[in-house]
């Protein structure tokens, strides 16, 4: 069991997707399979996280091929935490789907596609091979396009086309970067690359490879100026799909960005730090200004995904251990909060029949529980103490000041104020103002409120007791800043097998 532990977050969704497809005519069985599979996946991912918390790095090779020649799965603190939080979010989405998913969406393949998405997400977090990271991104892309077009509406197809075009361009850049990197080093294993690259002389091929990785992951993460696909496509999908996309898809791009530019390329060399600073600033500003002029709650939240990605990219722009720790903390906080806000957008739609805030109102009186549940992630996103978003922003801004990037810290504070404006806009329009005379407010099902409340409790728990997550983020950041343990796990494997790397 211990020897195969790393495989379960991928094998379980794979088996679940196959079973769900086999039960295509029985929606209740598909739902039961998906819920069971994601519960087991969450359990296995928690076991992985518990194992690596001691500092141990888990590795698993395939086909008895030792690295750097074979495919390998690797889990350190950062990767294991991402698998845990992604599995938790997926389970919450499946609970939410009990009340929100329609029969035609089930018949269109929601459950197999959803589990297929989780295969790609967890595979990307666990792979120790740069080429197989590309493969897992492709698995995600296929499942994502199917999920976006579940209802086969004109808007969804239009959104899927925009999503596909830019992400396929990103994929081409990614693959070309991998080819250049392999040509310069002769290896694709990440730990081996971290060992070989410092001994490899600088070249135009390596520089071009780094720039291509930056652009490819920047597109997938959705930061300035490559974010336009995100607000053009996320709001067209069903709200369950949008919530999972909001929480996970851009974070996989961010994870890959942090993994490559801490393990393989040195940020302090050349123009990388100034570039990351420019990307972070532009992403924060354009995202928050885009949100300010929207009235569709999904589009507001989609632009705020972009804005908050800017805060995370600050970790690479400052590139200190404190900044890296702030980024890890921010990623975990943001996955929980942003997905929860999309779930609440779905609840608002169920209650009012519209995502347009101008057609909503009266929810504070008709659904006070939903109002409270909205206030928690909304205030957290805006950085109001003592919620998780306050600590996340505090860590990022503190790291910016200490890293002699005061202008980025001031900009982050300014963007935080504009975020308060957007969240206040949703509160006033959907909850505070009187409901239009033509609006008949409907009750929100318990199955919607349960995952919203669960994620809200996590937000409160982090906010009132941030020390454990801060300590974990510092440990994860230390490992990223000094990848000796990561490379050491690879060397231990090759030494045990009698292979000279």
């Amino acid at each position: 069991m211990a020897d195969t532990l790393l495989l379960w977050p991928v094998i379980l969704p794979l088996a679940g997707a196959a079973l769900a497809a086999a039960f295509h005519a029985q929606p209740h069985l598909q739902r039961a399979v998906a819920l069971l599979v994601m519960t087991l996946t969450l359990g296995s991912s928690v076991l992985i996280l518990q194992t690596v918390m001691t500092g141990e790095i888990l590795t698993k090779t395939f086909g008895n091929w030792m690295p750097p020649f074979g495919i390998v799965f690797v889990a350190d603190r950062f990767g294991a935490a991402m698998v845990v939080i992604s599995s938790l979010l997926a389970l919450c989405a499946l609970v939410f789907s009990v009340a929100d998913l329609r029969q035609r969406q089930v018949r269109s393949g929601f459950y197999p596609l959803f589990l297929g998405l989780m295969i790609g997400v967890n595979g990307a977090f666990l792979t120790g091979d740069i080429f197989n990271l590309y493969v897992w991104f492709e698995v995600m892309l296929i499942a994502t396009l199917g999920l976006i077009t579940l209802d086969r509406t004109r808007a969804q197809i239009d959104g899927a086309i925009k999503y596909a075009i830019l992400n396929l361009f990103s994929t081409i850049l990614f693959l070309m970067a991998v080819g250049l990197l392999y040509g310069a080093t002769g290896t694709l294993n990440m730990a081996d690359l971290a060992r070989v690259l410092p001994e490899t002389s600088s070249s135009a091929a390596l520089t071009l490879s780094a720039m291509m990785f930056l652009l490819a992951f920047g597109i997938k993460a959705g930061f300035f100026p490559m974010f336009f696909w995100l607000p053009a496509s996320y709001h067209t999908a069903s709200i369950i799909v949008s919530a999972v996309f909001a929480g996970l898809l851009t974070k996989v791009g961010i994870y890959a960005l942090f993994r490559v530019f801490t393990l393989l390329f040195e940020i302090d060399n050349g123009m990388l730090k100034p570039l990351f600073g420019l990307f972070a600033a532009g992403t924060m500003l354009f995202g928050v200004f885009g949100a300010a002029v929207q009235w569709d709650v999904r589009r507001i939240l989609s632009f705020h995904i972009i804005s908050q990605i800017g805060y995370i990219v600050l970790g690479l722009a400052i590139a200190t251990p404190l900044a890296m720790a702030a980024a890890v903390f921010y990623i975990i906080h943001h996955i929980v909060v942003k997905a929860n806000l999309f779930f609440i957008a779905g609840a608002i739609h169920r209650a009012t029949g519209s995502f347009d805030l101008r057609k909503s109102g009266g929810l504070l009186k008709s659904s006070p529980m939903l109002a409270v549940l909205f206030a928690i992630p909304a205030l957290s996103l805006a950085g109001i103490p003592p919620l998780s978003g306050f600590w996340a922003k505090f860590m990022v801004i503190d790291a910016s000041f200490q890293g002699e990037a005061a202008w980025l810290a001031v900009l982050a504070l300014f963007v935080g104020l504009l975020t308060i404006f957007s969240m206040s806009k949703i509160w006033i329009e959907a909850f505070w103002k009187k409901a239009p005379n033509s609006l008949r407010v409907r009750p929100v099902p318990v199955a919607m409120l349960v995952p919203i409340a669960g994620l809200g409790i996590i937000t409160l728990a982090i906010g009132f007791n941030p020390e454990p997550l801060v300590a974990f983020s510092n440990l994860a950041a230390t490992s990223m800043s000094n990848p000796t343990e990561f490379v050491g796990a690879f060397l231990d494997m090759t030494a045990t097998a009698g292979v000279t790397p």
Side-chain angles (χ1 to χ4, degrees):
M1 179 70 177
D3 188 51
T4 60
L5 185 59
L6 275 183
L7 304 181
W8 292 113
V10 174
I11 287 178
L12 286 168
L14 178 62
L19 278 174
F23 295 140
H24 66 278
Q26 298 167 292
H28 295 297
L29 280 178
Q30 290 189 56
R31 180 186 302 155
V33 166
L35 286 167
L36 175 62
V37 162
M38 286 318 305
T39 301
L40 294 174
T41 302
L42 177 59
S44 65
S45 62
V46 169
L47 288 177
I48 293 172
L49 182 60
Q50 288 177 337
T51 304
V52 302
M53 281 301 294
T54 60
E56 178 183 359
I57 293 182
L58 292 179
T59 57
K60 174 65 179 176
T61 58
F62 296 86
N64 292 323
W65 285 90
M66 288 297 106
F69 307 106
I71 297 171
V72 62
F73 270 13
V74 182
D76 60 0
R77 295 184 183 95
F78 187 29
M82 295 301 288
V83 174
V84 169
I85 199 70
S86 65
S87 300
L88 174 64
L89 174 54
L91 184 58
C92 289
L94 289 173
V95 174
F96 192 92
S97 74
V98 172
D100 191 65
L101 201 64
R102 295 186 290 273
Q103 288 297 317
R104 71 170 180 271
Q105 293 172 325
V106 176
R107 289 194 297 270
S108 295
F110 171 80
Y111 289 110
L113 288 169
F114 183 88
L115 293 172
L117 176 67
M118 296 312 301
I119 295 169
V121 169
N122 289 341
F125 290 145
L126 294 175
T127 187
D129 181 281
I130 193 71
F131 179 78
N132 282 284
L133 180 60
Y134 157 77
V135 173
W136 293 119
F137 269 117
E138 290 304 285
V139 172
M140 288 171 48
L141 178 61
I142 293 168
T144 298
L145 291 175
L147 288 169
I148 289 178
T149 56
L150 272 180
D151 294 318
R152 301 170 189 169
T153 63
R154 183 182 296 273
Q156 288 185 349
I157 293 172
D158 179 65
I161 291 171
K162 294 173 181 176
Y163 179 90
I165 290 173
L166 204 52
N167 276 271
L168 285 173
F169 177 64
S170 168
T171 296
I172 293 169
L173 289 174
F174 190 179
L175 194 56
M176 291 172 65
V178 169
L180 289 170
L181 187 62
Y182 183 70
T185 62
T187 182
L188 293 174
N189 180 278
M190 291 186 187
D192 197 32
L193 283 166
R195 183 184 64 85
V196 169
L197 278 170
E199 303 170 359
T200 304
S201 58
S202 299
S203 65
L206 283 177
T207 301
L208 186 57
S209 176
M211 292 300 103
M212 284 183 172
F213 277 125
L214 177 57
L215 290 174
F217 296 146
I219 291 171
K220 292 184 181 297
F223 60 67
F224 171 83
M226 300 161 286
F227 59 80
F228 298 103
W229 60 269
L230 196 157
S233 59
Y234 272 26
H235 74 284
T236 64
S238 67
I239 201 65
I240 305 168
V241 174
S242 295
V244 175
F245 286 5
L248 294 183
L249 290 194
T250 53
K251 307 313 177 298
V252 180
I254 285 289
Y255 172 84
L257 198 71
F258 273 77
R259 187 64 83 192
V260 167
F261 286 96
T262 58
L263 193 61
L264 308 186
F265 299 102
E266 294 184 20
I267 301 176
D268 289 327
N269 289 345
M271 291 294 295
L272 282 176
K273 282 184 73 172
L275 273 177
F276 279 119
L278 176 63
F279 288 146
T283 304
M284 286 189 289
L285 279 175
F286 279 86
V288 79
F289 282 133
V293 299
Q294 303 298 323
W295 287 98
D296 186 309
V297 65
R298 297 167 300 175
R299 289 184 66 86
I300 292 174
L301 297 177
S302 293
F303 273 103
H304 273 299
I305 297 172
I306 299 163
S307 175
Q308 301 299 303
I309 289 296
Y311 283 92
I312 299 170
V313 177
L314 278 177
L316 290 172
I318 309 302
T320 62
L322 179 60
M324 294 292 184
V328 173
F329 190 106
Y330 212 108
I331 289 170
I332 295 172
H333 139 78
H334 188 250
I335 289 173
V336 172
V337 166
K338 182 54 66 175
N340 203 9
L341 285 169
F342 269 91
F343 287 144
I344 292 169
I348 291 173
H349 180 265
R350 172 57 67 92
T352 65
S354 176
F355 288 108
D356 190 333
L357 293 175
R358 292 166 293 191
K359 299 178 182 178
S360 303
L363 291 180
L364 179 60
K365 180 179 179 180
S366 62
S367 187
M369 176 61 72
L370 183 62
V372 172
L373 293 176
F374 167 76
I376 294 170
L379 293 176
S380 182
L381 189 76
I384 303 299
L387 299 170
S388 63
F390 168 75
W391 301 110
K393 284 185 169 61
F394 175 82
M395 291 177 68
V396 167
I397 292 168
D398 181 45
S400 299
F401 277 120
Q402 292 194 32
E404 299 180 354
W407 71 278
L408 286 173
V410 172
L411 183 62
L413 287 168
F414 173 70
V415 170
L417 292 175
L418 292 180
T419 304
I420 295 175
F421 167 77
S422 294
M423 294 301 104
S424 300
K425 183 178 182 179
I426 298 175
W427 171 262
I428 292 170
E429 294 293 330
F431 293 93
W432 186 259
K433 79 176 185 186
K434 184 179 178 181
N437 294 330
S438 59
L439 177 62
R440 183 180 178 183
V441 179
R442 296 173 293 178
V444 178
V446 174
M448 287 186 172
L449 295 176
V450 167
I452 292 172
L455 293 176
I457 289 170
I458 293 173
T459 300
L460 290 172
I462 295 173
F464 284 99
N465 185 28
E467 288 85 359
L469 185 54
V470 171
F472 172 83
S473 300
N474 282 319
L475 289 172
T478 300
S479 298
M480 282 195 291
S481 300
N482 182 21
T484 306
E485 293 178 354
F486 198 94
V487 177
F490 153 76
L491 292 174
D492 291 342
M493 293 174 66
T494 54
T496 302
V499 177
T500 302

